[in-house]
Amino acid sequence: MADIRTRFAPSPTGYLHLGSARTALYSWAYARRHGGACVLRIEDTDRARSTLESERALLSGLAWLGLDWDEGPVRQSEHGERHAEVVEQLLERGAAYRCSCSREELEERRSQTLAQGRSWVYDGRCRERNLSADCGPHTVRLRLDLDSHLGWDDLVYGESGQAACEIGDMNIRRSDGHPLYNLAVVVDDSDMRISHVIRGADHLGNTAFQIAIYRALELEPPRFAHVPLIVGASGKKLSKRRDPVSVEQFRDDGYLADALLNWLVRIGWSHGDQEVFSRDEICALFDLETVNRASAQADPGKLDWLNQHYLKQLPAGELLEQLLPFLTEVAGAEVKPTPELAALAQLLCERSSTLRDMAGRAAFAVVETPERDSKAEKKFLKPTALPILEALVQRLRRVDPWDEAQLEAAFEDVRAAQGDIGMGKLAQPVRVAVTGSSASPGIYETPAAPRPGSTRRSAYWAPSAAWRASRPPPTASASPASNPRAARVVARPAPTRFRRMARLASRPATGVDRPGLAPASGSAGSPALSSPPAGGLRSLRFGK
RNA sequence: GCUCCCAUCGUCUAGUGGUCCAGGACGUGGCCCUCUCAAGGCCGAAACACGGGUUCGAGUCCCGUUGGGAGCACCA
């Protein structure tokens, strides 16, 4: 086949729409697959609705998706003169004619026709009037061969077309002298030597008339491929109201570009049973012949699944890099990359479907005072859990090195020493104390990656004010009160400790805040806290 | 209303006249694993819209019905 040239031609009247993104993807992939070129053309001839801001949004959306183009972007409005010139040519040759019917007249005749149950096409009133340029306000219409059939072989829909008489002599130029969409598209596609026009099926109705324009211009039309519409859960065309349609929104919600691309490419296209397509595979395998004809619903659940799949595949460093903006949002302050956070992200990605989701789960590691799930707190941070935790803290002092195996050993020891209690009795309170939630990664893994700027061990123990409040007063004879040290501890004001933590966190730590993601070193963090706590819970909170 | 398009599990789809009592994936139910939540593994429920043809044989071809969608501008 001759040179394959596709184009993506969005109009800058909003953000990058899901449907547009898929059309862009298809055009891009088809060109890549066949070693051709993809051109970006901004259809900005509707001055009233086109904005520069939308154009920027379009470009940034495409850039984020990683859809690049070989030529452009060119603005359709730059071709105004060329469009005007073509219309004049058609006029001279008699292939087009001036029409002085006013909107009002047209509207009246149309509604009359419609009232009779017939479909309206321009009735040809000015067709033979031979109006000249000085006939007053007028539009220009294309003179169709009303006996002809305007057909094409669609790459997706097969033989398509319409009788010319069902279309009628449509306008190609407005009374203000500006060309209409159909004319501009044909001229531009032809001038740009576009070989394959890939666009939404909502353009099916335009194509017949465009074929007529090609014929009037004595031009060979390109191949057309109309791709089925993406519909929302309602079964109707995606709407801003009901459906998530902005690519930027997906990005801000924490979806990965690769996941979105994979999701989009499979809506309406398939390659056997394959579900996961890398960018390269899309380029290697995508073809128009295998595009489905029925419109398809976009299933957000499948996107979530795909997104997690790609999340899990991301190398640790890159994953954290992607996560950082979301963490920063959660923390309310800039979050710097650390090896601990990278490890945590790794742990979290098999339980998160989006980056935003993941950031929420990582909040305990970046927030000064982690929020506690009140249900979990009520259920697990009971006074009876305190002595157990105290025992664990004592035991943790001897953990060295601070790794999963040693932590497990410590937990096991405590469990046995506390009367062989179930693991859940120990792990759940710890989990809630550390993460604020009853759901988190493994209990030996979780403490390995707590907040940056503090040491692992100190961050591990941060009972909230709510927990303290839930405790009975120290004088009570309940079991925790029988442990004087614990009682003393919980009676003390926590804010002091938090201030201390904050000071430590803001200190220029030697290993933790370095930008690279080198493996955790045993001496990371401030020296003062890098060794095991000296005095149990009390010292963890208040000791110096 | 008119024109055109479409029709396989809830969703995306495989299927191009026999190899389909219809396959995969997401979702969903159960079980296993297990310190929680996941992830993972195993098992299950779940569809050819309906009616006529054509044919030895139809999810696959034809017609109709029904249902859904899109388009019908001096918008793009």
Side-chain angles (χ1 to χ4, degrees), chain A residues 321-502:
Chain A
E321 195 179 314
Q322 298 264 24
L323 181 63
L324 243 26
F326 295 90
L327 281 178
T328 295
E329 197 183 319
V330 164
E334 197 192 346
V335 175
K336 297 262 176 59
T338 66
E340 288 83 1
L341 278 178
L344 179 62
Q346 205 74 33
L347 252 21
L348 251 20
C349 66
E350 61 187 34
R351 13 180 89 70
S352 316
S353 52
T354 65
L355 291 166
R356 177 173 296 285
D357 182 15
M358 193 187 296
R361 292 169 197 273
F364 74 90
V366 295
V367 153
E368 192 53 40
T369 317
E371 209 173 287
R372 285 228 167 91
D373 175 63
S374 59
K375 264 197 205 130
E377 186 168 50
K378 213 169 161 191
K379 186 166 178 193
F380 296 112
L381 293 190
K382 288 188 286 215
T384 49
L386 212 44
I388 300 172
L389 292 176
E390 164 68 8
L392 182 65
V393 169
Q394 295 296 342
R395 175 61 181 81
L396 288 177
R397 288 169 53 207
R398 304 201 309 274
V399 168
D400 189 47
W402 186 267
D403 60 24
E404 264 185 63
Q406 294 305 312
L407 282 168
E408 179 167 2
F411 273 72
E412 281 303 324
D413 284 355
V414 171
R415 202 169 66 80
Q418 293 288 313
D420 213 18
I421 53 171
M423 190 58 201
K425 283 259 188 292
L426 177 56
Q428 284 304 80
V430 172
R431 192 186 313 282
V432 177
V434 174
T435 69
S437 159
S438 58
S440 85
I443 201 64
Y444 312 128
E445 303 170 314
T446 305
R451 77 181 66 185
S454 66
T455 71
R456 296 160 177 172
R457 272 160 251 207
S458 61
Y460 200 65
W461 303 98
S464 69
W467 186 13
R468 286 185 294 105
S470 75
R471 289 248 319 119
T475 50
S477 58
S479 59
S482 66
N483 179 339
R485 191 172 357 186
R488 201 161 58 238
V489 164
V490 292
R492 299 287 278 279
T496 313
R497 182 206 146 260
F498 289 132
R499 275 198 294 275
R500 179 174 150 71
M501 294 281 298

Side-chain angles (χ1 to χ4, degrees), chain A residues 12-14 42 44 51-60 73 75:
Chain A
T13 53
I42 310 280
D44 60 347
T51 67
L52 224 53
E53 196 191 333
S54 299
E55 192 179 310
R56 271 196 296 273
L58 232 35
L59 260 32
S60 93
R75 293 200 187 85

Side-chain angles (χ1 to χ4, degrees), chain A residues 1 7 21 66 114 116 122 301 308 314 356 359 374 416 422 446 456 465 472 474 510 517 538:
Chain A
M1 203 181 284
R7 57 26 166 217
L114 257 31
Q116 292 165 18
Y122 179 63
Q308 184 180 54
L314 239 36
R356 177 173 296 285
S374 59
T446 305
R456 296 160 177 172
T510 48
L517 290 171
R538 186 169 57 148

Side-chain angles (χ1 to χ4, degrees), chain A residues 57-107:
Chain A
L58 232 35
L59 260 32
S60 93
L62 289 170
W64 178 68
L65 285 171
L67 299 181
D68 50 358
W69 46 90
D70 304 292
E71 289 173 32
V74 301
R75 293 200 187 85
Q76 188 159 55
S77 59
E78 289 162 9
H79 305 157
E81 276 180 37
R82 168 76 178 133
H83 299 150
E85 170 193 321
V86 169
V87 175
E88 284 306 323
Q89 277 174 21
L90 289 169
L91 239 19
E92 271 169 40
R93 277 198 279 127
Y97 60 90
R98 296 184 180 83
C99 169
S100 61
C101 299
S102 71
R103 289 174 204 257
E104 293 73 26
E105 291 166 349
L106 251 14
E107 183 47 48

Side-chain angles (χ1 to χ4, degrees), chain A residues 231-271:
Chain A
V231 298
S234 59
K236 292 187 169 60
K237 205 166 140 179
L238 285 178
S239 107
K240 295 175 213 201
R241 279 270 176 70
R242 293 185 301 262
D243 314 294
V245 291
S246 155
V247 166
E248 281 181 299
Q249 188 60 53
F250 281 96
R251 185 236 283 144
D252 295 344
D253 284 345
Y255 292 96
L256 264 18
D258 281 350
L260 197 61
L261 243 29
N262 196 149
W263 185 53
L264 285 173
V265 83
R266 278 286 286 110
I267 301 176
W269 174 77
S270 63
H271 180 73

